[in-house]
Amino acid sequence: MIKIAVLCSGGDSQGMNTCVQTIVNMASVHGIMVMGVRRGFQGLIEDDLVELTRESVEHIGNLGGCFLKVSRCPEFKTPEGVKKGYDVLLKNRIDYLIVIGGDGSYRGAIELSELGAKVLTIPGTIDNDLFYTDRSLGFDTAVNNAVRAIDNIRQTMEANNRGLIVEVMGRNCGHIALNVGVIVGAHSLAVREVNTTIEDIVSDVKQCLQKGILSPIVVVSEAVDYSIDEVKKAVEEKCGIECRSTVIGYLQRGGEPSVLDRLFAIQFGINAIELITKSVYNVALGVRNNNIFYMKLEDVYNLDDEFNKLLYRQLRNLHNLK
Ligand code: ADP
Ligand code: F6P
């Protein structure tokens, strides 16, 4: 009997539960045994594995968070840590390991594969910072959550003629910020990818005020190297408008996965098991043009970030910003 393990790693993201459920259900169709590794690579090192059955995952498909739990595991960044994880896979006679996570988790997965483990990876991070795939699980839900939050906040800002400076997540990249900015019609968008400065934001806000906009919205990516409080201070001082600043934070990572995240999570889970039944491994699954595909795991880092500069420019054109 084939025996596989699945773990979720890094920051949890909506869709991880749906994907684990699908993996277990699909595996049972093929008579494959599934072990869930609790707490990502930390649990792997500590041999914290539990058998997953259709019954044990029956109610998790529509839940946010992560039923298996996640962790950041510094020890796994050392060769000794990876070796410990590999030995646990051998001890438990795991034939294939499925890793659901983001950029860092993929590096851990590659290290394991280099020791001889048979690994498949599924993109799961709200940041969408794995550039070989159009989408990662959680991104769509996180964008939806941030948009809903800003739609609420803007009502009270408009009632008070205040400007809003709002920070959205994305540890190293501005994909959430760009999508949220476009959807809410941000009057200024600050992302690392185009090196937006505080002076740029002030200039955008001034232009919007001159056009009669009373409550400009500034969306700031977490990845820029200044704080929203610095932005607020500069805008208030230089534009003469009262502002409020807020970090949306973990609201983005909580709550039920969107239908899109659930749909991709289900497709990833089904495809991963189908690949295992065909003895395909050391591959990364992804989405391109709404289709699931896979590529060699070792090649995922050969692709550059395709930050959508056209969309960024179109948002600026929408407000006729210089
Ligand atoms: P994400 O996977 O969401 O990007 P992290 O960057 O925190 O989240 O990575 C998750 C975990 O992956 C880390 O805590 C660590 O255990 C492992 N990891 C990250 N980078 C490496 C690396 N270079 N080598 C081995 N393991 C790594
Ligand atoms: O990687 C996803 C993410 O939510 C980032 O957007 C954010 O910077 C980070 O995780 C927060 O991590 P933690 O949950 O460890 O505070």
Side-chain angles (χ1 to χ4, degrees):
M1 181 194 237
I2 297 176
K3 189 176 179 188
I4 70 169
V6 56
L7 65 80
C8 302
S9 168
D12 55 287
S13 68
Q14 301 96 333
M16 282 180 165
N17 283 329
T18 320
C19 193
V20 170
Q21 182 190 57
T22 309
I23 286 167
V24 173
N25 289 345
M26 193 66 192
S28 81
V29 171
H30 290 278
I32 295 172
M33 182 178 183
V34 184
M35 303 299 290
V37 182
R38 293 197 191 95
R39 296 175 294 121
F41 292 129
Q42 190 66 46
L44 182 64
I45 286 177
E46 294 173 15
D47 196 5
D48 189 3
L49 276 67
V50 58
E51 185 177 350
L52 299 178
T53 61
R54 272 186 184 266
E55 291 70 33
S56 63
V57 298
E58 195 180 351
H59 300 293
I60 67 169
N62 63 334
L63 301 181
C66 182
F67 157 86
L68 280 176
K69 300 195 185 286
V70 289
S71 68
R72 314 264 186 202
C73 173
E75 192 182 348
F76 210 75
K77 291 186 180 176
T78 66
E80 299 75 26
V82 180
K83 178 71 170 57
K84 271 192 201 171
Y86 179 64
D87 288 342
V88 169
L89 292 176
L90 287 185
K91 180 186 151 210
N92 287 281
R93 300 181 190 284
I94 301 297
D95 298 304
Y96 299 90
L97 172 68
I98 301 177
V99 172
I100 309 174
D103 178 80
S105 307
Y106 270 52
R107 294 182 195 276
I110 290 172
E111 305 255 328
L112 273 174
S113 72
E114 284 170 357
L115 286 187
K118 296 176 178 172
V119 183
L120 296 91
T121 60
I122 292 173
T125 163
I126 65 165
D127 290 356
N128 210 24
D129 60 354
L130 285 160
F131 306 127
Y132 79 91
T133 176
D134 291 347
R135 294 190 160 274
S136 56
L137 297 179
F139 175 65
D140 183 65
T141 313
V143 170
N144 271 286
N145 288 354
V147 166
R148 217 171 298 127
I150 294 172
D151 284 347
N152 287 350
I153 301 168
R154 84 187 305 167
Q155 294 179 355
T156 169
M157 292 299 129
E158 285 171 1
N160 290 277
N161 281 351
R162 288 174 178 154
L164 170 64
I165 321 292
V166 61
E167 181 187 296
V168 297
M169 272 186 170
R171 190 176 41 181
N172 294 316
C173 73
H175 290 263
I176 294 179
L178 174 64
N179 282 265
V180 169
V182 168
I183 294 164
V184 302
H187 302 94
S188 185
L189 174 63
V191 286
R192 202 174 70 174
E193 286 82 350
V194 297
N195 299 315
T196 315
T197 63
I198 295 185
E199 290 68 39
D200 295 332
I201 298 171
V202 167
S203 160
D204 291 347
V205 172
K206 275 187 182 161
Q207 291 176 60
C208 288
L209 292 175
Q210 278 159 11
K211 288 178 200 131
I213 287 155
L214 300 173
S215 288
I217 299 176
V218 179
V219 172
V220 181
S221 159
E222 179 192 0
V224 300
D225 57 7
Y226 41 82
S227 73
I228 50 169
D229 288 336
E230 290 173 87
V231 175
K232 176 177 181 282
K233 190 164 177 282
V235 171
E236 287 191 325
E237 280 175 13
K238 297 184 179 156
C239 304
I241 180 178
E242 186 187 4
C243 294
R244 290 289 184 268
S245 58
T246 191
V247 177
I248 299 186
Y250 296 95
L251 271 177
Q252 287 156 102
R253 234 165 59 184
E256 284 190 358
S258 66
V259 289
L260 200 59
D261 277 328
R262 283 169 75 172
L263 183 63
F264 285 127
I266 290 167
Q267 293 184 82
F268 281 142
I270 292 171
N271 279 277
I273 296 299
E274 283 178 354
L275 288 171
I276 285 172
T277 62
K278 293 175 192 152
S279 306
V280 177
Y281 55 89
N282 294 347
V283 292
L285 284 85
V287 182
R288 204 171 280 156
N289 301 323
N290 287 324
N291 292 313
I292 306 293
F293 76 103
Y294 64 92
M295 64 186 287
K296 275 191 193 163
L297 187 51
E298 65 200 51
D299 289 341
V300 296
Y301 292 112
N302 295 340
L303 297 163
D304 291 332
D305 184 3
E306 284 180 16
F307 184 77
N308 194 337
K309 289 204 170 134
L310 172 63
L311 191 55
Y312 171 80
R313 272 199 305 278
Q314 286 173 333
L315 173 62
R316 294 188 64 78
N317 290 343
L318 203 57
H319 296 302
N320 199 15
L321 290 167
K322 282 183 215 131

